[in-house]
Amino acid sequence: MTAAIIGIGLIGGSLALSLREKGIAGTIIGVDNDSANIKKALDLRLIDRAASLEEAVQASGLIVLAIPVDAILKVLPRVLDLVSTQVVMDLGSTKSKILQAVANHPKRGRLVAAHPMAGTEYSGPEAAIKDLFKGKTMVFCDARKSDEDAFEMAEALVESLEMRRVFMNASEHDLHTAYVSHISHITSFALALTVLEKEKEEGHIFELASGGFESTVRLAKSSPDMWVPVFRQNRENVLDVLEEHIHQLKNMQKLLENEDYEAFYKLIQRSNKIRKILK
Amino acid sequence: MTAAIIGIGLIGGSLALSLREKGIAGTIIGVDNDSANIKKALDLRLIDRAASLEEAVQASGLIVLAIPVDAILKVLPRVLDLVSTQVVMDLGSTKSKILQAVANHPKRGRLVAAHPMAGTEYSGPEAAIKDLFKGKTMVFCDARKSDEDAFEMAEALVESLEMRRVFMNASEHDLHTAYVSHISHITSFALALTVLEKEKEEGHIFELASGGFESTVRLAKSSPDMWVPVFRQNRENVLDVLEEHIHQLKNMQKLLENEDYEAFYKLIQRSNKIRKILK
């Protein structure tokens, strides 16, 4: 099979590596607005050749969109305009707005909406990693709206990637990811800003940074090109979670101001329940 | 040399492993209020034998305090009361209050105040790891107040642990650790509470948790027995940083409410400067 990957960055590039390794795609065509990305993707042998969107869709049995979610909103309807029997997958981190945008498209059935819960804080073709998806979760959204053959092909692909499969509707997906992914990025960005701000006055503050600090701020390396569109499309859920998170921080602040260490202790004990969830 | 380690948990236990491996201590005596900890430390061969505080100080050339910082406030003056020419090290995560408490002690010179910027979110003897300290930073605080021979012995020990050495006064130390360690813990605790709170209503939220989430909340597994005393002793610095962190989050909240995505983009770009600092 020939596969077209639209957006050859961390996700698209890593998928290309897996599609090739698993023998799913014999030829991989890359589509990317950024010619530097195309050059790197060719150099790294992530793709066999580059093509225009139209040409790539024509030539491929599978078309995967791995571009920022604002770009998916624009490009996905164009891709569906072009397909006949091909399968289209979008890997966007938000789903409601994207699926609304193509809800009445005559080719909606060719689309399988999926979100791999996998990534790193890096971006671009050079960030692509073998086995990025292995053992991770793929969320299929509104799977019943996909044609049976299209969904079966996507599911078989996800199975060969050795991913766990979870099914949700688009609004559940957007709510849950606000909690377990989007808010983590917001707090990391804010924490980085807090410390960078202070460093101007104090200097040398980072001499003491260790693993704990690194762990909580590493997501602050993430690209605004990917994340601003995510926050924009999932604005209401993100605002809800952010409100709750600020409330929790203010509660801790109040207890510390009042020197109520007993209540503070109980709060930490309650937060320790996260042990049951994380491995 | 015989070394006494007061508090055989993650830090004390890991130090015991290194002291033995490097041949620095032939015999290691453990002191711990918790008899279950002593039993585990003996089973794991972290220590050779257990003893009372008095007996351990008598028998040892080096006495290391690796207990929560509120316990250090109580135990350190008692240890200094007991020493003659031995060297005492405290490994507490705060320094101002502890060093104030012994500032006028006649044996103050025997104390070397140090803080290893190393740890994990786990605690207890079973959390002890070989090489926990290797390549990490040891902060020496108010080093000039230590007797020359005591400091030299501590420095040689830290050198054999293959640690980087940094020198600060106690108040600088407490300010800097509030930024690069204590606030990371506060945000992790708050993030865990935010998500655990929501999970009650929604369930299944954690099916989607991936590496990014895990990274930002893993510190929320940390023990309140260690952390509440840290926040208590470093309360003013922690409150300052927390204020700034809440301010940054509220700013992001306001931009998202106003849909000012251009300013939001610039904020993320600014936070990306953390790339220069983290490896």
Coordinates of all heavy atoms in Angstrom, one line a residue, chain A residues 86-130:
Chain A
Q86 N -10.5 5.7 -0.6 CA -9.3 5.7 0.3 C -9.8 5.9 1.8 O -10.9 6.3 2.0 CB -8.3 6.8 0.0 CG -7.7 6.8 -1.3 CD -8.4 7.7 -2.3 OE1 -9.6 7.8 -2.4 NE2 -7.6 8.6 -2.9
V87 N -8.9 5.5 2.7 CA -9.2 5.7 4.1 C -8.4 6.9 4.6 O -7.2 7.1 4.3 CB -8.8 4.5 4.9 CG1 -9.0 4.7 6.4 CG2 -9.6 3.3 4.5
V88 N -9.1 7.8 5.4 CA -8.4 9.0 5.9 C -8.4 8.9 7.4 O -9.4 8.5 8.0 CB -9.2 10.3 5.5 CG1 -8.6 11.5 6.0 CG2 -9.3 10.3 4.0
M89 N -7.3 9.2 8.0 CA -7.2 9.2 9.5 C -6.7 10.6 9.9 O -5.8 11.1 9.3 CB -6.2 8.2 10.1 CG -6.7 6.8 9.9 SD -5.5 5.6 10.7 CE -5.8 5.8 12.4
D90 N -7.4 11.2 10.9 CA -6.8 12.4 11.5 C -6.3 12.1 12.9 O -7.0 11.3 13.6 CB -7.8 13.6 11.5 CG -8.5 13.7 12.8 OD1 -9.5 12.9 13.0 OD2 -8.1 14.4 13.7
L91 N -5.2 12.6 13.3 CA -4.6 12.3 14.6 C -4.6 13.5 15.5 O -3.8 13.6 16.4 CB -3.1 11.8 14.4 CG -2.9 10.5 13.4 CD1 -1.5 10.1 13.4 CD2 -3.8 9.4 13.9
G92 N -5.5 14.4 15.3 CA -5.6 15.6 16.1 C -5.8 15.4 17.6 O -6.4 14.4 18.0
S93 N -5.3 16.3 18.4 CA -5.4 16.2 19.9 C -6.8 16.8 20.4 O -7.0 16.7 21.6 CB -4.3 17.1 20.5 OG -3.1 16.6 20.2
T94 N -7.6 17.3 19.5 CA -8.9 17.7 19.8 C -9.8 17.1 18.8 O -9.4 16.7 17.7 CB -9.2 19.2 19.8 OG1 -8.9 19.7 18.4 CG2 -8.2 20.0 20.7
K95 N -11.1 16.9 19.1 CA -12.0 16.2 18.2 C -13.3 16.9 17.9 O -13.8 16.8 16.8 CB -12.2 14.8 18.7 CG -11.0 13.8 18.6 CD -10.8 13.5 17.1 CE -9.6 12.6 16.9 NZ -8.4 13.3 16.5
S96 N -13.9 17.6 18.8 CA -15.3 18.1 18.6 C -15.3 19.0 17.4 O -16.1 18.8 16.5 CB -15.8 18.8 19.9 OG -15.9 17.9 20.9
K97 N -14.5 20.1 17.4 CA -14.6 21.1 16.4 C -14.2 20.4 15.0 O -14.9 20.7 14.0 CB -13.6 22.2 16.6 CG -13.9 23.0 17.8 CD -14.7 24.3 17.4 CE -14.8 25.3 18.6 NZ -15.5 24.8 19.8
I98 N -13.3 19.5 15.0 CA -12.9 18.9 13.7 C -14.0 18.0 13.2 O -14.3 18.1 12.0 CB -11.6 18.0 14.0 CG1 -10.4 19.0 14.2 CG2 -11.3 17.1 12.8 CD1 -9.1 18.3 14.7
L99 N -14.6 17.3 14.0 CA -15.7 16.4 13.5 C -17.0 17.1 13.2 O -17.7 16.8 12.3 CB -16.0 15.2 14.5 CG -14.8 14.3 14.6 CD1 -15.1 13.1 15.6 CD2 -14.4 13.7 13.2
Q100 N -17.2 18.3 13.9 CA -18.3 19.2 13.5 C -18.1 19.7 12.1 O -19.0 19.8 11.3 CB -18.4 20.3 14.4 CG -19.2 20.0 15.7 CD -18.9 21.1 16.8 OE1 -18.6 22.2 16.5 NE2 -19.1 20.6 18.0
A101 N -16.8 20.0 11.8 CA -16.5 20.7 10.5 C -16.8 19.7 9.3 O -17.0 20.2 8.2 CB -15.0 21.1 10.5
V102 N -16.7 18.4 9.5 CA -17.0 17.5 8.4 C -18.2 16.6 8.6 O -18.4 15.7 7.9 CB -15.7 16.6 8.2 CG1 -14.5 17.5 7.7 CG2 -15.4 15.8 9.4
A103 N -19.0 17.0 9.6 CA -20.2 16.1 10.0 C -21.1 15.8 8.8 O -21.6 14.7 8.7 CB -21.0 16.8 11.1
N104 N -21.3 16.8 7.9 CA -22.2 16.6 6.8 C -21.5 16.4 5.5 O -22.1 16.4 4.4 CB -23.1 17.8 6.7 CG -23.9 17.9 8.0 OD1 -24.4 17.0 8.5 ND2 -24.0 19.2 8.5
H105 N -20.2 16.1 5.5 CA -19.5 15.9 4.3 C -19.9 14.6 3.7 O -20.0 13.6 4.4 CB -18.0 15.9 4.6 CG -17.1 16.0 3.3 ND1 -17.0 15.0 2.4 CD2 -16.5 17.1 2.8 CE1 -16.3 15.4 1.4 NE2 -15.9 16.7 1.6
P106 N -20.2 14.5 2.4 CA -20.6 13.2 1.8 C -19.6 12.1 2.0 O -20.0 10.9 1.9 CB -20.8 13.6 0.3 CG -20.2 14.9 0.1 CD -20.2 15.6 1.4
K107 N -18.3 12.4 2.2 CA -17.3 11.4 2.4 C -16.9 11.2 3.8 O -15.9 10.6 4.1 CB -16.0 11.7 1.6 CG -16.3 11.7 0.1 CD -16.4 10.2 -0.4 CE -16.6 10.2 -1.9 NZ -16.7 8.7 -2.3
R108 N -17.7 11.7 4.8 CA -17.5 11.5 6.2 C -17.1 10.1 6.6 O -16.3 9.9 7.4 CB -18.7 12.0 7.0 CG -18.6 11.7 8.5 CD -17.5 12.4 9.2 NE -17.4 12.1 10.7 CZ -16.8 11.0 11.2 NH1 -16.1 10.2 10.4 NH2 -16.7 10.8 12.5
G109 N -17.8 9.1 6.0 CA -17.5 7.7 6.3 C -16.1 7.2 6.0 O -15.7 6.3 6.7
R110 N -15.4 7.9 5.1 CA -14.0 7.5 4.9 C -13.1 7.9 6.0 O -11.9 7.5 6.0 CB -13.5 8.1 3.5 CG -14.4 7.8 2.3 CD -14.8 6.3 2.2 NE -13.8 5.3 2.1 CZ -13.9 4.1 2.5 NH1 -15.1 3.6 2.9 NH2 -12.9 3.2 2.3
L111 N -13.5 8.8 6.9 CA -12.6 9.3 7.9 C -12.7 8.5 9.2 O -13.8 8.1 9.7 CB -13.1 10.7 8.3 CG -12.4 11.3 9.5 CD1 -10.9 11.6 9.3 CD2 -13.0 12.7 9.9
V112 N -11.6 8.1 9.7 CA -11.5 7.5 11.1 C -10.7 8.5 11.9 O -9.6 8.8 11.7 CB -10.7 6.2 11.0 CG1 -10.6 5.6 12.4 CG2 -11.4 5.2 10.0
A113 N -11.5 9.0 12.9 CA -10.9 10.1 13.8 C -10.2 9.4 15.0 O -10.8 8.6 15.7 CB -12.0 11.0 14.3
A114 N -8.9 9.6 15.2 CA -8.2 8.9 16.2 C -7.2 9.9 16.8 O -6.8 10.9 16.2 CB -7.4 7.8 15.5
H115 N -6.8 9.6 18.1 CA -5.9 10.4 18.8 C -4.9 9.5 19.6 O -5.3 8.9 20.5 CB -6.6 11.4 19.7 CG -5.7 12.3 20.5 ND1 -6.1 12.9 21.7 CD2 -4.4 12.6 20.4 CE1 -5.0 13.6 22.2 NE2 -4.0 13.4 21.4
P116 N -3.6 9.5 19.1 CA -2.7 8.7 19.8 C -2.2 9.4 21.1 O -1.7 10.5 21.0 CB -1.5 8.5 18.8 CG -1.6 9.7 17.9 CD -3.1 10.2 17.9
M117 N -2.3 8.8 22.3 CA -1.9 9.4 23.5 C -0.4 9.1 23.6 O 0.1 8.4 24.5 CB -2.7 8.9 24.7 CG -4.2 9.0 24.6 SD -4.7 10.7 24.2 CE -4.1 11.6 25.7
A118 N 0.4 9.8 22.8 CA 1.8 9.5 22.7 C 2.4 10.8 22.2 O 1.8 11.5 21.4 CB 2.1 8.4 21.8
G119 N 3.6 11.1 22.6 CA 4.3 12.3 22.1 C 5.5 12.6 23.0 O 5.8 11.9 23.9
T120 N 6.2 13.6 22.6 CA 7.3 14.1 23.5 C 7.2 15.6 23.4 O 6.3 16.2 22.7 CB 8.7 13.7 23.0 OG1 9.0 14.4 21.8 CG2 8.8 12.2 22.7
E121 N 8.0 16.3 24.1 CA 8.0 17.8 24.1 C 8.7 18.3 22.9 O 8.9 19.6 22.7 CB 8.6 18.3 25.4 CG 10.1 18.0 25.7 CD 10.3 16.7 26.4 OE1 9.5 15.7 26.1 OE2 11.3 16.6 27.2
Y122 N 9.2 17.5 22.0 CA 10.0 17.9 20.8 C 9.1 17.9 19.6 O 8.1 17.3 19.6 CB 11.2 17.1 20.7 CG 12.1 17.1 21.9 CD1 12.2 16.0 22.7 CD2 12.8 18.3 22.3 CE1 12.9 16.1 23.9 CE2 13.5 18.4 23.4 CZ 13.6 17.2 24.2 OH 14.3 17.3 25.4
S123 N 9.5 18.6 18.6 CA 8.7 18.6 17.3 C 9.6 18.6 16.1 O 10.8 18.8 16.2 CB 7.8 19.8 17.3 OG 8.4 21.0 17.7
G124 N 9.0 18.4 15.0 CA 9.7 18.4 13.7 C 10.1 16.9 13.3 O 10.1 16.0 14.2
P125 N 10.5 16.7 12.1 CA 10.9 15.4 11.6 C 12.0 14.8 12.4 O 12.0 13.6 12.6 CB 11.4 15.6 10.1 CG 10.9 17.0 9.8 CD 10.7 17.8 11.0
E126 N 13.0 15.6 12.8 CA 14.1 15.1 13.6 C 13.7 14.5 15.0 O 14.5 13.9 15.6 CB 15.3 16.1 13.7 CG 14.9 17.4 14.4 CD 14.2 18.4 13.5 OE1 13.4 18.0 12.6 OE2 14.4 19.6 13.8
A127 N 12.5 14.9 15.4 CA 12.0 14.4 16.7 C 11.3 13.0 16.5 O 10.9 12.4 17.6 CB 11.0 15.4 17.3
A128 N 11.1 12.5 15.3 CA 10.5 11.3 15.1 C 11.2 10.1 15.8 O 12.5 10.1 15.7 CB 10.3 11.0 13.6
I129 N 10.5 9.2 16.4 CA 11.1 8.1 17.1 C 10.4 6.8 16.7 O 9.2 6.7 16.6 CB 10.9 8.1 18.6 CG1 10.7 9.5 19.2 CG2 12.1 7.5 19.4 CD1 10.4 9.6 20.7
K130 N 11.2 5.8 16.5 CA 10.7 4.4 16.3 C 10.0 4.0 17.6 O 10.4 4.4 18.7 CB 12.0 3.5 16.2 CG 11.8 2.2 15.4 CD 13.2 1.6 15.2 CE 13.3 0.1 15.5 NZ 12.8 -0.5 16.6

